[in-house]
Amino acid sequence: AAMGVAETLLHTHDIAEGLGTTYEPDPALCEFVLTRIFPHVQPGPTPWQTLLWATGRGELPGRAPVTAWRWSNNLVIETDRLTLEGVTPAAATDLSTVGDGGFTWLEGGPVEGTRVGAGLVYKQYEDGVHRPEWGMFVLVRREDDRALGAMGFHGVPDGAGRVEVGYDLVEGARGHGYATEALRALSSWALGRDEVRTVVANVERGNTPSQRVLARAGFSQVAEDPEHLTYELGASGAR
């Protein structure tokens, strides 16, 4: 849908420009397109001008001219029982408040950790530092298309090739191996990238179930402090 809207807005602009006619669409449509298929573009205060700039059709103060552009569908990773669906800035905005992000959740979801993580995704987008593949994924059970939790990265890999992961599940989905299955898949995907050497997770000392998930997914404890335990998985340990 966002691609269709983009085509309509942009080519109407091109036609109007060729005819010497002024054209400016509803800013809400432009914002929809930007937050859905341009997640790597900082939004700015003027959605239409931002969309024109992002597609090489205009200029924005303080931003370099765009000579090549693309739109981006959200990344999807499949496991035996789950689909990990990348959360777009549009969905993150909804999830960070009281919405469902466009997903049908198991009872009790989304949980607070998912809403906090979604808020961080949108903040990164607003700051122009969001990279979709290093954001958050909603875990959707394939048998009934129900969302049961979220998992994702805290940001892009650092200079040493380390990337941190976090996750949570709706209470009714716990104890069925979903978190382990998703963590194995997401870690394997990350370690398959040239810029990643190690996937890291920090977990509270009292969170025994999460520690078991990490152990089952192949992570090893490498450090601790009074409140947290640190686990790591390197390329040689990926499954």
Side-chain angles (χ1 to χ4, degrees):
M3 289 180 183
V5 173
E7 288 290 304
T8 301
L9 299 183
L10 295 170
H11 291 302
T12 300
H13 163 270
D14 296 342
I15 293 168
E17 188 174 51
L19 296 173
T21 301
T22 300
Y23 169 71
E24 184 163 345
D26 184 343
L29 285 175
C30 306
E31 184 176 7
F32 163 69
V33 170
L34 288 167
T35 57
R36 185 60 181 82
I37 57 175
F38 287 89
H40 50 287
V41 172
Q42 186 178 11
T46 54
W48 176 230
Q49 295 304 317
T50 301
L51 181 58
L52 290 177
W53 167 82
T55 56
R57 289 170 165 83
E59 298 182 354
L60 280 180
R63 302 198 199 184
V66 172
T67 57
W69 63 276
R70 62 180 176 86
W71 51 43
S72 174
N73 283 322
N74 54 318
L75 178 63
V76 173
I77 299 172
E78 293 189 345
T79 71
D80 288 343
R81 297 180 295 168
L82 303 171
T83 300
L84 283 64
E85 298 191 20
V87 173
T88 66
T93 305
D94 192 44
L95 278 171
S96 66
T97 53
V98 297
D100 57 18
F103 298 92
T104 303
W105 290 82
L106 291 181
E107 184 177 354
V111 297
E112 182 62 21
T114 295
R115 296 204 185 280
V116 171
L120 293 175
V121 168
Y122 193 76
K123 179 64 166 59
Q124 291 174 345
Y125 169 66
E126 284 188 317
D127 292 342
V129 297
H130 175 56
R131 296 297 175 266
E133 65 271 31
W134 302 112
M136 188 174 81
F137 299 79
V138 167
L139 313 184
V140 179
R141 191 164 57 191
R142 296 172 66 180
E143 67 179 35
D144 58 7
D145 207 31
R146 296 275 180 169
L148 49 83
M151 181 175 292
F153 303 104
H154 292 191
V156 300
D158 64 19
R162 294 164 58 86
V163 64
E164 185 175 351
V165 68
Y167 50 88
D168 62 17
L169 291 183
V170 173
E171 186 173 355
R174 297 169 188 172
H176 299 281
Y178 292 127
T180 301
E181 184 175 327
L183 184 57
R184 285 174 175 165
L186 191 59
S187 299
S188 178
W189 177 88
L191 290 167
R193 304 288 293 257
D194 292 340
E195 63 267 44
V196 176
R197 296 187 179 88
T198 309
V199 180
V200 182
N202 290 296
V203 60
E204 295 177 351
R205 279 185 171 274
N207 192 347
T208 303
S210 187
Q211 294 167 27
R212 290 173 180 164
V213 167
L214 289 162
R216 287 195 295 266
F219 284 68
S220 300
Q221 184 186 333
V222 297
E224 60 182 286
D225 63 30
E227 296 182 353
H228 295 89
L229 305 177
T230 300
Y231 288 76
E232 290 185 355
L233 178 67
S236 60
R239 300 180 182 182

